[in-house]
Amino acid sequence: MSQFTILVVEDEEAIRSMLVMVLQQYHFEVLAAGDVAEAQLILEDTLPDLILLDWMLPKVNGDEWTRRLKASENFRDIPIILVTAKGEEADKIRGLDLGADDYVTKPFSPKELVSRIKAVLRRSGKIHDLTQIKFQDIILDTTQHRVSIADHVIDISPTEFRLLSFFLSHPDKVYNRTQLLDQVWGRSVYIEERTVDVHIRRLRKILANYQREDWLQTVRGFGYRFSDKNI
Ligand code: CA
């Protein structure tokens, strides 16, 4: 399976960062926007697997954007979960009428949110199994936070776990440091690019214990890729 990208549209900074953090902890790739205009820009280069959309937004509201997306040929298939503040019955019904796939009512627990997201992804046919990512004899279990290589369960820190999870979901593709920072650490976090190298080295060390370090390849002048093929 590949990893899933979720676009979070929320104007309140604190809630937005919280949502980004929670979703990253559950191994989603997360893109975030503060309003519809920003979200629209993101859609120009990335098609998310799901949009988590706040109902109350400045300028264009969540319900209005839902209506527009569902009317557009390019974006109508992206599932939308609306986030409503008060849980007013009328809002929920209107949201679903407009084509939203589900809604959650603030406040909600991370667990509830994630299970709603998974349910919508499942219904939309995007996932059958969210738990395991396999690459040759490496098996990464996202629910149990466990990695095994050649049947050995290995010790791995959360950051290396996310990095490995990203690479395993995107084999053979080259990513530069900025892209890895965006994808693995998230755009909202400021970290120096050197940090990426540090974690790559740690991950390589882990892989080296099982003679798999050649799979985490440095592409000179560009970045890194995970592949069992030679460059
Ligand atoms: Ca809002």
Side-chain angles (χ1 to χ4, degrees), residues 13-65:
E13 160 87 62
I15 300 176
R16 191 170 62 239
S17 325
M18 185 272 286
L19 288 171
V20 168
M21 219 177 65
V22 164
L23 294 174
Q24 284 174 344
Q25 277 165 2
Y26 282 86
H27 314 294
F28 290 106
E29 288 173 27
V30 191
L31 301 165
D35 57 29
V36 164
E38 232 180 281
Q40 202 89 50
L41 278 179
I42 291 174
L43 288 192
E44 281 173 22
D45 45 59
T46 317
L47 268 192
D49 294 293
L50 185 142
I51 300 175
L52 188 62
L53 179 61
D54 187 32
W55 181 283
M56 295 294 285
L57 289 167
K59 293 180 209 140
V60 181
N61 252 343
D63 56 340
E64 172 56 22
W65 201 44

Side-chain angles (χ1 to χ4, degrees), residues 10-12 54 56-57 106:
E10 166 64 72
D11 57 320
E12 283 167 70
D54 187 32
M56 295 294 285
L57 289 167
K106 289 181 199 167

